[in-house]
Every structure is written in C-alpha cells, then in structure tokens.
Amino acid sequence: MSKSLFIQTIGCQMNVYDSERMAAALRANGYTAALAPEEADLVIVNTCSVRAKSEQKAFSFLGRLQAAKRRRPGMLVGVAGCVAQQEGARLMARAPHVDLVIGTRAVERLVDMVRRAEAGERPVVELDLTAPEGDGAAPEPDPARGAVSRFITIMRGCDNFCSYCVVPHVRGREASRRPEAILDEVRAAVAAGVREITLLGQNVNSYGAKEGLPSFAELMARVNAVEGLARIRFTTSHPKDLTPELIGAFGRLEKLCPHIHLPVQSGSDRLLDQMNRRYTRAHYLDIVSKLRDSCAQIAVTTDMIVGFPGETRADFEATLDLMRQVQFDSLFAFIYSDRPQAPATLLPDKIPFAEKRERLQELLRFQDTITRSRNAALVGTVQEVMAEGVSKRQATRGGGSAPQWTGRTPGNKVVNFTSGDGPGGSGGIRPGRLVPVLIERVLAHSLRGVHVAEAAPARPEREADHDA
Ligand code: SAM
Ligand code: SF4
C-alpha cells in the first residue's frame, strides 16, 4: 500500500528546491502527496534559522503536529534544513515527537533514513556537514505542477562568514555542482515545459572558483544556449565578488533577465565593517553604476538589516541616504536578530526591539515611495511579460469579464493583466508564453495592464539617474 507525504517548506528558494528533491526521491519510492499534514504518513518540515522569527515558525508547525501524532501514532515526523542542522539531537528535547533529523547535507540519504525509521530506529539523525553531497538525482519535475518557472541550486554552503549570519554554520563550506549536472537539469526542466530558470546559491559570483570549474558567467552562457529556455535569473550575488565579466553578461546574454538582487545590508561603512561584508558604500555605488552602464534598464533589488548592534541614528540615516542614491526597485528589510554561532550575537549595544521596529517601518515607508515612482515610470510602456497562470480574481473590462493573467516583467515585477480580446477570451495566451503587455496602472505591490497585439519598443525601466 502506498504511503502519503506532506512537506512544509519555510524559508528561502534553496529550501523550495531541496523540498522538491525530497519529494521527488520519496515519490520514486512509492510515496504519494497528502493534502494535509494531519493525514500524512510522513511529514517533513523543511526549516530556516536565518532569523529568530523563521525558527519560531518551524517550532509552531511542529507543535501543531504533536496533536496529530497523538491521534495517529504511526505518523513519522522529520525536520530538515537549517534548524535541523543547528539543533541536531537537541530537537528531541523540545519536540519529542520528531523521528528524523535531516541535516542540510543529508537530503541525498533521505530515502535510507526513512527506511530506517520505518524499521523502528529512533531517532534517525544525519548531521555530517562534510559529507560530499555529489550531484545526486535531480528532482524529476512534477508534471502535475505544470510550473513554467523553476529554481536550480548550483552551489551549496557559504564561506563568507558575515558576522550576523548563521548560514556558514548550518550549510557548511561552499561547494559548487558540476556544470554538466546543472545543464542536464536545465534541459530536463525545459523538456517538462519549464521556460524560466533561476540559478541559486548564497554567492553565485564565486561559483566554481574553489573547484576550478568554469566561472558563473561562463556557466550562464552555457545555460543561455539551451534551446526552448526563455529566461534566466539568478540569486544571490555578493557585492564584493561582482566581476566585470558578470556585469557584462547583462548586455550580452539575451535570455538573462535585466534584474539583479544585490544585498547591501547597510549604508554605513562602520556597520558594513562590523558585519564583515568586505566592501564599502562607495564600492557598492560604483558597481551599481557599472551595472546600469552595462544594461540601462536593469532592475536592482536588495536586502537590508535594521537594528544591527550599535546602529546609531546616523548609521540608519546613511542607509536611507544610500536608498535615495540607488533608487532600488524593491527590497527585503529585516529586523536584526541574534543567531546562535553568529559572532554579532556577542556584540554590545543591542538596539531595543521597539526601536528596531520603528526603524523598519520608516525604512519600508521610504522604500514604498521609491518603488511607486520606479513603477510609475513603466505606465504607458509595453513590457514583455511571461504569463505564469490565470489569477483567480477576474478583472472586469469593458462591461465583460475576461480572465486575468499574472506574470512578471523582465525586471521581475508582478503584472496582472487581461487578454484584451473581449469577454472570456485568452488571446492565445498560455503559461510560459512571452506576451506584450501595456502597463496601465501601478498598485502597491504590482502593476496592472492589458495584453496588446504588437510589441512596441519598451522604454527602459529606469534611466541612469543615480548619482553614484
Ligand atoms: N547570501 C545572501 C547574501 O549574502 O546576502 C543572503 C543570505 S540570507 C539567507 C538572506 C538575508 O537574511 C540576508 O541578506 C540578510 O539581510 C538577512 N539576515 C541574515 N542573518 C540575519 C540576522 N541575524 N538578522 C536579521 N536578518 C538577517
Ligand atoms: Fe550569510 Fe553572508 Fe553567506 Fe550571505 S554571504 S549567506 S549573508 S554569510
């Protein structure tokens, strides 16, 4: 009899990718998808411990499973990802109903671990960070998902040791996958209908450096040559390692989307030094300027941390000033939290939580005005949007109801659009198709538009108006 599986994913795109690998490996061994965790024979929580909040989410989900397991004692509960690696066997003290602790480099041994648990071994724990993960079986794309966009991890771990960050401690040393394995995975995804690939790593710019593999820009050139693929994206780049070769790739590779996520974390040189980021504000502004010289319409997004230990009002204002100069398209901002093993945890002058929250609100309000003005510049232009699917909400246009599609611009902005061919029509749009969309309106977090017949030349998403 087949058994059922439920995977709960918390955290970044790499966890999404690892969850797909785990699901594919277990599917190949007879597991089918359960609709709810309470009904599953095996539940895996794939966790994140980058911030205290994400860790709390993992424990509250585990709490919910405790009652379910009391009702169905045969259920197996596994914890994977960063919390599993960080807590190890200590997890069982906080959550005694956990049966498997799947470390960040143990995904390839998951099937064997599950077999051992099914045979009665308790707990089953695999935490070796030095275990070679190899390239393993790529997750067979699940055709039922019909996804047109997909993440592919190209490297694991991190050697940068930013002072606030737990990743190097829970994901281990940087290790890149072979280009052949990555390309095989891209081709398999394309054969299953995928049109857009996002290449993932904590610092993709240092791809292959340790192993003597081709550079990241060379890898992208090879991915660019895969027939049937329409778009390439990548994340994340570290500003200290952004090479001229990679900057030049934006003007050269036609499938590479004009968007870079380039986390800066702070606009204060003093804090950048304390964070061990190994670049200055001036260096960051210089590379943004070079990126815009290479590709005028490039969208730049970033991550910011507010309330790092010792952050003064002047440091915070330096961050706002950097935002004013760069004019980011959007950003993720996080309240600093102490993480186990991260050296910043030992720094004095912690900022009270209420103050951190106020700074976060101030920063987000400021960014909203920038995002709105960046997006407003797109109104009246025609953007090439990759249709991802029909949104459930139907837009009403011209008295009739047409399906509302959702997709993204090359600069990664979400666009909801109608087909513009009358009630119920889809104008030949289908998921994965690149369609010209006239941008009509700007909302808080998305754009609204209408599919038009002909692609008119798009105005650049941004003129080079920064004063870097
Ligand atoms: N490798 C990427 C980089 O270098 O920026 C991203 C890594 S991390 C998974 C994603 C983001 O979480 C970071 O860019 C940072 O802004 C945030 N972050 C990491 N540790 C944090 C902490 N202790 N407190 C608050 N935010 C944190
Ligand atoms: Fe963490 Fe820094 Fe590595 Fe990013 S580069 S994962 S922030 S240590």
Side-chain angles (χ1 to χ4, degrees):
M1 206 182 72
S2 83
K3 297 201 165 181
S4 62
L5 164 74
F6 188 94
I7 302 186
Q8 176 77 10
T9 308
I10 301 169
C12 67
Q13 296 108 323
M14 288 194 201
N15 272 7
V16 174
Y17 177 80
D18 281 343
S19 290
E20 285 181 9
R21 286 170 80 211
M22 292 192 277
L26 289 166
R27 232 183 1 251
N29 282 274
Y31 274 84
T32 55
L35 293 177
E38 288 78 7
E39 295 165 11
D41 297 304
L42 169 61
V43 182
I44 298 176
V45 195
N46 197 3
T47 60
C48 168
S49 67
V50 162
R51 287 170 290 279
K53 210 167 159 187
S54 37
E55 193 175 323
Q56 282 152 15
K57 259 195 216 165
F59 280 104
S60 85
F61 187 80
L62 279 173
R64 182 176 149 196
L65 289 180
Q66 194 155 22
K69 188 155 172 164
R70 240 180 261 126
R71 282 192 300 275
R72 297 181 50 232
M75 170 193 264
L76 288 178
V77 175
V79 180
C82 295
V83 175
Q85 190 69 45
Q86 177 186 296
E87 297 298 310
R90 280 196 308 267
L91 258 175
M92 264 67 74
R94 258 177 102 174
H97 56 299
V98 169
D99 305 296
L100 299 114
V101 182
I102 307 146
T104 53
R105 298 269 167 123
V107 171
E108 283 193 5
R109 296 188 294 287
L110 174 67
V111 171
D112 171 60
M113 291 177 72
V114 171
R115 294 236 184 293
R116 282 156 54 198
E118 284 171 343
E121 185 179 327
R122 290 291 184 283
V124 182
V125 182
E126 292 274 353
L127 296 170
D128 185 2
L129 270 183
T130 60
E133 233 204 328
D135 284 315
E140 276 294 307
D142 183 353
R145 280 185 60 217
V148 293
S149 182
R150 202 177 160 77
F151 302 128
I152 295 187
T153 293
I154 61 166
M155 61 198 298
R156 299 176 187 284
C158 182
D159 290 349
N160 284 321
F161 291 95
C162 301
S163 66
Y164 51 79
C165 187
V166 75
V167 170
H169 308 281
V170 292
R171 295 262 167 191
R173 298 287 59 75
E174 209 169 276
S176 297
R177 299 178 62 202
R178 287 177 304 111
E180 295 75 23
I182 297 166
L183 283 161
D184 283 350
E185 203 169 324
V186 173
R187 287 190 206 99
V190 169
V194 168
R195 301 268 290 148
E196 176 182 89
I197 291 286
T198 304
L199 303 172
L200 298 178
Q202 294 296 352
N203 181 12
V204 289
N205 332 9
S206 56
Y207 171 83
K210 260 181 167 176
E211 293 85 358
L213 295 171
S215 68
F216 180 58
E218 284 165 26
L219 174 73
M220 275 207 301
R222 291 195 202 174
V223 175
N224 192 65
V226 172
E227 224 166 284
L229 184 67
R231 286 181 164 182
I232 307 170
R233 300 185 185 277
F234 64 84
T235 195
T236 303
S237 315
H238 195 301
K240 79 175 164 52
D241 297 321
L242 200 67
T243 60
E245 192 193 11
L246 184 53
I247 292 174
F250 281 105
R252 215 173 43 241
L253 302 177
E254 74 282 2
K255 294 179 187 169
L256 177 58
C257 288
H259 168 223
I260 187 162
H261 186 66
L262 195 61
V264 63
Q265 315 297 359
S266 169
S268 153
D269 277 339
R270 193 180 70 82
L271 289 194
L272 287 173
D273 184 46
Q274 297 252 306
M275 289 176 172
N276 192 30
R277 290 291 288 180
R278 288 176 280 167
Y279 54 81
T280 59
R281 171 195 177 99
H283 176 76
Y284 189 89
L285 289 170
D286 182 50
I287 53 177
V288 170
S289 167
K290 288 184 171 130
L291 281 161
R292 286 176 171 153
D293 287 345
S294 167
C295 176
Q297 74 272 30
I298 196 164
V300 182
T301 58
T302 199
D303 289 349
M304 292 289 193
I305 295 179
V306 296
F308 186 80
E311 184 187 70
T312 61
R313 183 71 209 175
D315 291 321
F316 179 63
E317 280 181 6
T319 296
L320 298 180
D321 187 60
L322 181 89
M323 289 163 59
R324 193 174 300 119
Q325 285 198 45
V326 174
Q327 298 281 303
F328 293 107
D329 287 84
S330 65
L331 55 72
F332 296 109
F334 306 105
I335 286 182
Y336 167 84
S337 59
D338 281 342
R339 303 313 301 135
Q341 303 174 74
T345 300
L346 303 174
L347 288 175
D349 305 325
K350 296 281 159 55
I351 311 296
F353 186 76
E355 201 164 333
K356 291 197 277 195
R357 200 175 42 200
E358 260 172 42
R359 285 183 191 170
L360 177 75
Q361 296 307 334
E362 186 179 345
L363 186 149
L364 291 176
R365 274 196 304 273
F366 185 46
Q367 180 58 40
D368 268 358
T369 61
I370 298 173
T371 298
R372 274 188 179 268
S373 92
R374 302 276 294 121
N375 288 350
L378 298 185
V379 173
T381 68
V382 173
Q383 298 287 316
E384 185 181 69
V385 173
M386 193 175 86
E388 287 172 19
V390 177
S391 119
K392 288 205 177 70
R393 292 208 351 241
Q394 297 288 297
T396 303
R397 284 184 55 84
S401 176
Q404 192 186 53
W405 286 82
T406 187
R408 283 171 195 266
T409 65
N412 210 30
K413 294 174 197 277
V414 173
V415 185
N416 294 310
F417 62 100
T418 45
S419 67
D421 68 347
S426 67
I429 304 170
R430 57 166 194 270
R433 183 160 277 190
L434 298 174
V435 291
V437 173
L438 174 67
I439 306 300
E440 295 179 319
R441 268 202 306 149
V442 172
L443 303 181
H445 300 288
S446 62
L447 305 169
R448 276 287 172 86
V450 59
H451 172 214
V452 287
E454 288 295 314
R459 268 208 320 261
E461 286 191 12
R462 180 177 195 283
E463 303 297 337
D465 58 353
H466 51 96
D467 48 2

